[in-house]
Amino acid sequence: MTDDRRPATEFDVTADRPDSPVQVTGTDHITLVGSNAEDTVAFYRDLLGMPLVLRQPNLDDPSQTHLFFDTGDGRILTFFVSDDRQSNPNPQRTGVGAVHHLSFSVDPERFVEVREALADAGRGYNEFDRGIFHSLYTRDHNGLVVELATDKFEVPDDRRGEVLATAQRLREEDGAEYAEERHLEAALEELGIETTRHELPDAESGVGE
């Protein structure tokens, strides 16, 4: 049987809205199946600083509790938890349909403090310079990879897609394997967006590791 599916390289990268029948306006919330409330609150509220803003029964299964956390910009992360479920810190299996990782923004001026807080809490982490941003990777109490990312440049939220799509074009024109800091900086200049660069620690790229 012939596989006629188009490869990823055939799809245009653009910030323009597609002519689709549905037009979403943003991320409302993401819901994960959690373990218990105590461990979930300890990690996401007490370590990462997300306020617990709503708690109610899971409307589809009232035997579980539904916890709502504000990630910092009004976007919500929620968990279905139950007091009889134990946390499992072993790395999660990944596969089609699975969640690979969650990524949250942190203030670049507090990046070193965040790194030290993870160490003080006994959380292992990896630090990488991802070219257009800088990241720490750790795991929550259930083995889910959590990325704490910070921008190298101030990018207006309402133009982020436009900036990334422009950086993509410049990367392709440059023949580079992935988007680098110079592509992002050139994209900001081309779009006439004045910005400042944040000073962040040196780190390996982590590419291919």
Side-chain angles (χ1 to χ4, degrees), residues 121-167:
R123 296 281 174 180
Y125 64 85
N126 291 312
E127 179 180 354
F128 295 125
D129 181 338
R130 293 306 203 183
I132 58 176
F133 52 91
H134 205 95
S135 295
L136 296 166
Y137 292 84
T138 189
R139 295 184 188 273
D140 76 356
H141 52 290
N142 286 317
L144 177 63
V145 175
V146 173
E147 177 185 7
L148 302 174
T150 194
D151 288 326
K152 293 183 174 182
F153 297 89
E154 291 287 346
V155 179
D157 287 341
D158 61 345
R159 302 193 69 181
R160 185 173 296 272
E162 183 184 9
V163 170
L164 292 178
T166 302

Side-chain angles (χ1 to χ4, degrees), residues 105-123:
S105 300
V106 295
D107 186 337
E109 294 184 359
R110 297 196 60 209
F111 186 84
V112 173
E113 292 178 43
V114 171
R115 184 176 63 187
E116 292 173 350
L118 290 176
D120 291 344
R123 296 281 174 180

Side-chain angles (χ1 to χ4, degrees), residues 14-202:
T14 175
D16 296 336
R17 281 281 184 169
D19 183 19
S20 59
V22 177
Q23 294 280 312
V24 301
T25 58
T27 300
D28 187 283
H29 69 278
I30 295 171
T31 298
L32 301 173
V33 176
S35 52
N36 57 75
E38 183 173 2
D39 292 346
T40 304
V41 170
F43 185 83
Y44 287 94
R45 185 193 70 181
D46 298 341
L47 180 59
L48 298 192
M50 300 182 188
L52 176 63
V53 294
L54 183 65
R55 179 187 61 242
Q56 63 183 21
N58 176 356
L59 300 183
D60 297 319
D61 179 3
S63 69
Q64 300 182 81
T65 300
H66 199 177
L67 302 178
F68 292 68
F69 296 88
D70 184 343
T71 63
D73 59 359
R75 304 293 186 256
I76 302 298
L77 177 69
T78 86
F79 292 87
F80 294 144
V81 299
S82 180
D83 291 338
D84 61 359
R85 292 205 288 256
Q86 297 296 316
S87 297
N88 181 2
N90 293 323
Q92 292 193 345
R93 296 179 179 178
T94 58
V96 175
V99 175
H100 185 277
H101 71 280
L102 299 177
S103 182
F104 304 105
S105 300
V106 295
D107 186 337
E109 294 184 359
R110 297 196 60 209
F111 186 84
V112 173
E113 292 178 43
V114 171
R115 184 176 63 187
E116 292 173 350
L118 290 176
D120 291 344
R123 296 281 174 180
Y125 64 85
N126 291 312
E127 179 180 354
F128 295 125
D129 181 338
R130 293 306 203 183
I132 58 176
F133 52 91
H134 205 95
S135 295
L136 296 166
Y137 292 84
T138 189
R139 295 184 188 273
D140 76 356
H141 52 290
N142 286 317
L144 177 63
V145 175
V146 173
E147 177 185 7
L148 302 174
T150 194
D151 288 326
K152 293 183 174 182
F153 297 89
E154 291 287 346
V155 179
D157 287 341
D158 61 345
R159 302 193 69 181
R160 185 173 296 272
E162 183 184 9
V163 170
L164 292 178
T166 302
Q168 164 75 10
R169 174 178 57 77
L170 294 172
R171 175 194 74 81
E172 291 179 339
E173 292 174 355
D174 192 34
E177 186 176 355
Y178 58 90
E180 300 176 20
E181 180 180 321
R182 56 197 170 95
H183 301 126
L184 183 64
E185 189 170 17
L188 291 165
E189 182 177 356
E190 179 177 312
L191 295 170
I193 299 175
E194 294 186 8
T195 186
T196 56
R197 186 188 188 282
H198 298 295
E199 294 300 324
L200 295 165
D202 292 330

